[in-house]
Amino acid sequence: MTEKRIALVTGAARGIGKAIAAQLASEACFVVAADSDAGAGAALLSEFGRDSLSFEKTDVSDEAQVEALFSRIDQNFGKIDVLVNNAGIIRDNLIWNMPTEDFDHVLNLNLRGVWLICRAAAERMKRQNNGRIVNIASRAWLGNRGQTNYSASKAGVIGLTRALALELGRYNVSVNAVAPGLIDTPMTRQLAPEVLEKLIEAQPTRTMGTPDDVAHAVAFLASPETRFITGQTVYVDGGKSIGAGW
Ligand SMILES: NC(=O)c1ccc[n+]([C@@H]2O[C@H](COP(=O)([O-])OP(=O)(O)OC[C@H]3O[C@@H](n4cnc5c(N)ncnc54)[C@H](O)[C@@H]3O)[C@@H](O)[C@H]2O)c1
């Protein structure tokens, strides 16, 4: 097992995170899947097999749980080669209808949680003189109506990514962000069908992306060959970030 790269993927129980876990497992990584959904662990283990994946029930916004997660990684593997910060949530509303708790909740998980995990991983990767960090941001960092909390959190993730790339560059650790656009996952299916239809119409591709589309970009940035790419944001959005117009 030790010859495999050890990859921590947060929010790996479903959606984009699960596709990332599968892609990395297919590329000779052993995946540590961290998710707050304890119920998903058994299904993941039977699907992936214990030689490819372990499940860690973790709320990534909780500092003590993050510390405990990394202690277990230290004990079980003695290294961490790849970190993918994927866990994230939405609590959409126009600002005048948005309770403060929905701002706090989204920032707490999507930004503070990413920072907590990056801090724990950075210390170890610096010591190893090796590592790949990929943070899942969103095209929504550019701004979406109804997402003042979410857009702010993802803009924060991109700023964090750039700053950390500067801090870790000299230690052979790259830090990049992937910014997905509209991807077909349980999160997107929370949207009202008429809203989803409009969003698909506004896509240059007229389609949603798939979790696998995102997973391939993440696996590329997580690979040993991409050591000279750092601090970047790669859009996986069917061209939506290009801008307005036909
Ligand atoms: N789906 C999209 O269109 C889209 C677009 C852009 C960015 N993203 C981003 O991609 C990432 C994954 O999105 P998705 O659509 O697969 O979401 P999803 O809701 O389908 O899955 C999110 C996973 O994160 C887990 N999770 C939630 N809170 C957690 C916590 N506190 N600690 C640990 N795990 C937690 C959930 O249990 C779930 O397994 C998110 O960061 C999201 O913001 C998604």
Side-chain angles (χ1 to χ4, degrees):
M1 182 180 296
T2 40
E3 70 276 7
K4 283 193 174 186
R5 289 186 300 148
I6 304 300
L8 170 60
V9 182
T10 71
R14 67 182 200 195
I16 293 171
K18 189 174 170 191
I20 293 169
Q23 187 61 40
L24 292 177
S26 79
E27 296 188 13
C29 287
F30 182 90
V31 175
V32 179
D35 202 291
S36 54
D37 178 3
L44 277 180
L45 281 169
S46 73
E47 194 176 329
F48 283 74
R50 288 176 191 277
D51 290 343
S52 299
L53 179 139
S54 66
F55 181 78
E56 296 284 352
K57 182 194 174 312
T58 312
D59 175 350
V60 298
S61 64
D62 181 309
E63 187 167 356
Q65 290 191 36
V66 168
E67 292 305 321
L69 168 68
F70 275 83
S71 296
R72 288 194 294 276
I73 290 173
D74 290 342
Q75 276 166 17
N76 294 341
F77 309 105
K79 64 169 189 167
I80 173 168
D81 300 291
V82 174
L83 163 64
V84 183
N85 273 304
N86 165 79
I89 49 164
I90 48 173
R91 292 285 183 279
D92 295 353
N93 229 322
L94 296 170
I95 197 166
W96 44 89
N97 294 326
M98 187 179 289
T100 311
E101 306 83 73
D102 284 358
F103 179 85
D104 291 344
H105 195 178
V106 167
L107 269 287
N108 200 34
L109 173 56
N110 293 9
L111 182 55
R112 186 173 174 276
V114 171
W115 183 85
L116 284 173
I117 297 222
C118 278
R119 183 176 61 178
E123 183 195 335
R124 288 158 174 89
M125 289 178 171
K126 173 175 176 284
R127 213 183 306 133
Q128 295 169 179
N129 203 45
N130 167 55
R132 297 277 177 275
I133 298 177
V134 184
N135 294 325
I136 305 302
S138 171
R139 189 212 57 83
W141 87 277
L142 295 167
N144 267 351
R145 278 186 91 242
Q147 293 198 318
T148 49
N149 52 357
Y150 184 76
S151 294
S153 73
K154 295 299 189 179
V157 166
I158 289 174
L160 184 166
T161 298
R162 293 168 61 97
L164 190 57
L166 293 175
E167 295 185 10
L168 287 175
R170 71 196 62 185
Y171 302 108
N172 189 32
V173 178
S174 69
V175 190
N176 291 289
V178 167
L182 192 63
I183 308 294
D184 194 358
T185 70
M187 175 190 271
T188 320
R189 294 288 169 179
Q190 289 172 39
L191 297 168
E194 61 279 13
V195 173
L196 191 54
E197 200 177 311
K198 276 195 183 144
L199 291 172
I200 294 171
E201 268 171 35
Q203 283 286 124
T205 54
R206 301 292 190 272
T207 59
M208 285 199 267
T210 67
D212 285 341
D213 291 328
V214 181
H216 285 294
V218 172
F220 170 70
L221 292 170
S223 69
E225 291 75 22
T226 54
R227 84 179 173 88
F228 210 53
I229 303 175
T230 195
Q232 304 304 304
T233 299
V234 176
Y235 288 90
V236 182
D237 70 344
K240 186 68 168 53
S241 55
I242 295 166
W246 292 95

